[in-house]
Amino acid sequence: MNIYISNLSYSTDTDGLQKLFAEYGEVTSANVITDRDTGRSRGFGFVEMPNDTEAQKAIEELNETEVDGKTINVNVARPKTERSDRSGFNRSGGGFNRGGGGFNRGGGGGYNRNRY
């Protein structure tokens, strides 16, 4: 079972998360998610436990408990879904400045183009 843990203290690391859940049974993997630029914890993580009964007990007993000074939330992780492209760029033809639309319609513009 894959378990999602949120509201982790920034001081909680992967090793600490693994040890916390190991009290309830075998832990296949534990991972505190970190920011790729800073390496700092993003405040959530995942633990994988092969035995569903042990995993469910860990969820029930650890949910809303205090770990490293913060009250954590522990739930069954939802399956990963495909993310939508929220960047504002529409690959199917809309997008920014596609087909002559968007800013500076009519071409040639720009900020203060007639200033000089």
Side-chain angles (χ1 to χ4, degrees):
M1 179 182 293
N2 198 12
I3 303 168
Y4 171 71
I5 305 94
S6 63
N7 204 37
L8 287 171
S9 167
Y10 294 125
S11 65
T12 303
D13 60 7
T14 295
D15 190 47
L17 195 60
Q18 192 275 335
K19 287 178 182 174
L20 178 67
F21 280 81
E23 295 177 24
Y24 297 92
E26 181 185 353
V27 174
T28 308
S29 68
N31 191 19
V32 171
I33 306 304
T34 57
D35 182 273
R36 73 179 101 178
D37 294 329
T38 65
R40 184 179 142 182
S41 168
R42 292 188 58 201
F44 68 96
F46 296 92
V47 170
E48 195 167 330
M49 299 179 75
N51 183 308
D52 287 354
T53 303
E54 292 172 349
Q56 192 60 48
K57 183 173 182 179
I59 291 169
E60 290 169 5
E61 293 192 18
L62 290 173
N63 188 40
E64 297 184 355
T65 60
E66 189 174 308
V67 176
D68 294 332
K70 292 197 73 175
T71 301
I72 62 171
N73 299 304
V74 184
N75 299 290
V76 175
R78 287 181 268 160
K80 190 173 184 178
T81 58
E82 194 172 315
R83 293 176 60 180
S84 65
D85 183 7
R86 292 189 247 168
S87 67
F89 183 78
N90 182 346
R91 294 175 190 221
S92 63
F96 298 113
N97 289 327
R98 182 149 183 129
F103 298 107
N104 295 325
R105 185 176 221 162
Y111 182 70
N112 281 338
R113 77 174 186 192
N114 297 325
R115 185 172 179 177
Y116 298 106

